[in-house]
Every structure is written in C-alpha cells, then in structure tokens.
Amino acid sequence: MLGIGSVPMMASARDFGTFGPTWSIAEPDLLAVIKARLEAARQNGKLDAMNQRFVEAAQTSVRRPHAVAGITPATSDRRWSFDPSVTLSQDIRDARGILIAVQGQRFNPLTHLNLAHSFAFIDGDSAAEREWAMRQGAPDKLWIVLVKGSPTDLMKATQRRFYFDQMGSLTGKFGIAHTPALLVQQGDHLDIREVALPQTGERR
C-alpha cells in the first residue's frame, strides 16, 4: 500500500548505442613484471653485477664510514664542562627496587656511577692526531673515537680497538666541533677540551 502523497516509480532501461571506440581494461600484474625483469637481469649477468656492487658498497661503509660533517682541526685550545643531568620522565630504582630518583627530579647519573673510560675524538687520517690519542691513555682506560678515517685499518695496524662516531651522535651531544678532543669525567661533570696541535704541514 502507498502512503498519501507517494508516487509509484517504474524502473526502465534503454540502449543508447555505442559512442566511439572501446577497449578492454588491461592491468598487468606488477609482481609478474618485476619477476620477469629480475629473471632477464639474472640471465644477462646484470643481477650478479648489481649484487656485487651492493656488497662492495656495504664493505666500504663498514671499513670507512662517512666522515662526521662539520668537524675541523682545532686551531686554538678550548675547554668546558658538560653537565649530564636530565629531568626524569619516570622513577628510577636500583636492582633491588630501592628508589633512587623520582619522576620530575633533576638527575645526574655521574653522582651514582663512574665512567669506565675516557674518550679521545680524532681525525683518523691525521698521523699527528693518532699519535696524540695514543699518548692519552691505555686501551683499558681510553677509547679512541674517530670522526673520520677507517677504524678497521687502524685496528689492524696498531692492534688496538678504535670506534667511530656514527652520524656525529657523540660530538654533537657534547658540543665538540674540532679535533683532537678529550672527554674525561671529573666528579659529577664531564671535562671536555679541544687541543690545537702544532702544525706539521701534513694531514693524512
């Protein structure tokens, strides 16, 4: 039954003919295309050559990482203190569950622990900076961190472990802009100094 004021609707369809040429929709399987291209590359040797380039690039990156941008040789001595204190986002407890510091408190970790090592930051391609770093402490007391150069090559040559400041994370954090630089704990702060070495006219 229809309500008052309603109008019955009749469905109908008409053929208006075809206007212009038509084509079926074709969407090739992208995965199949990729597989076909990879197979072609394998057969003509391009895939092996590409894999070899990837391996060589990875090996080069490990052996000689990208130099830290913006770090230059020190031309004058500079010294400053670094306070590692942070404002806590949550409570800190020791291994026995005893509360050490509460959320929101200004906390200095150096009041509770001592650094096991000091750090020397150097340009590993500079013979003068390498020699300077080796005089700053024994391997069990000093870690030598490169901002440029090959840590693996230096380890082979000196039988001493070297590290690399990837992406400048450490030098950026501590404000180090020049090498060589030495970072040493002094009580509840870090003592940092950049050292201007005598110019020898050679920087390898």
Side-chain angles (χ1 to χ4, degrees):
M1 175 180 291
L2 298 175
I4 298 175
S6 60
V7 179
M9 302 293 295
M10 300 296 293
S12 64
R14 295 177 59 188
D15 184 358
F16 292 97
T18 300
F19 297 88
T22 61
W23 294 270
S24 58
I25 299 175
E27 296 182 357
D29 188 333
L30 182 58
L31 184 58
V33 172
I34 294 174
K35 287 181 177 179
R37 291 182 177 177
L38 286 175
E39 178 61 22
R42 186 189 67 79
Q43 292 180 2
N44 62 26
K46 290 183 178 180
L47 186 59
D48 289 340
M50 186 179 356
N51 287 335
Q52 183 61 31
R53 287 197 298 272
F54 286 151
V55 170
E56 291 172 355
Q59 290 174 341
T60 299
S61 179
V62 171
R63 187 182 69 82
R64 189 181 181 86
H66 293 296
V68 178
I71 304 294
T72 59
T75 56
S76 61
D77 293 347
R78 185 167 74 105
R79 190 169 191 167
W80 67 98
S81 292
F82 182 88
D83 180 359
S85 298
V86 295
T87 301
L88 299 178
S89 59
Q90 60 185 20
D91 294 345
I92 293 183
R93 298 179 181 275
D94 65 14
R96 295 174 295 175
I98 298 176
L99 184 66
I100 297 176
V102 298
Q103 179 181 356
Q105 177 182 338
R106 188 76 173 164
F107 178 75
N108 185 338
L110 294 184
T111 60
H112 298 274
L113 59 86
N114 292 317
L115 291 181
H117 306 87
S118 298
F119 297 84
F121 296 87
I122 67 168
D123 174 353
D125 288 340
S126 166
E129 293 194 18
R130 294 195 304 267
E131 293 167 3
W132 173 88
M134 300 288 273
R135 297 193 301 267
Q136 302 309 309
D140 62 330
K141 297 296 183 182
L142 177 80
W143 283 4
I144 301 177
V145 184
L146 306 187
V147 299
K148 182 183 178 184
S150 172
T152 55
D153 288 353
L154 290 179
M155 281 190 279
K156 291 177 182 178
T158 64
Q159 299 302 306
R160 175 170 179 158
R161 193 172 185 85
F162 287 80
Y163 302 86
F164 199 91
D165 187 16
Q166 295 282 358
M167 306 297 291
S169 58
L170 292 177
T171 48
K173 179 179 180 64
F174 298 123
I176 296 172
H178 308 287
T179 56
L182 187 66
L183 181 153
V184 179
Q185 179 177 355
Q186 295 287 352
D188 63 356
H189 68 279
L190 300 174
D191 181 72
I192 306 172
R193 59 189 179 98
E194 297 172 347
V195 181
L197 299 179
Q199 297 297 313
T200 61
E202 179 182 6
R203 193 172 184 85
R204 297 185 286 115

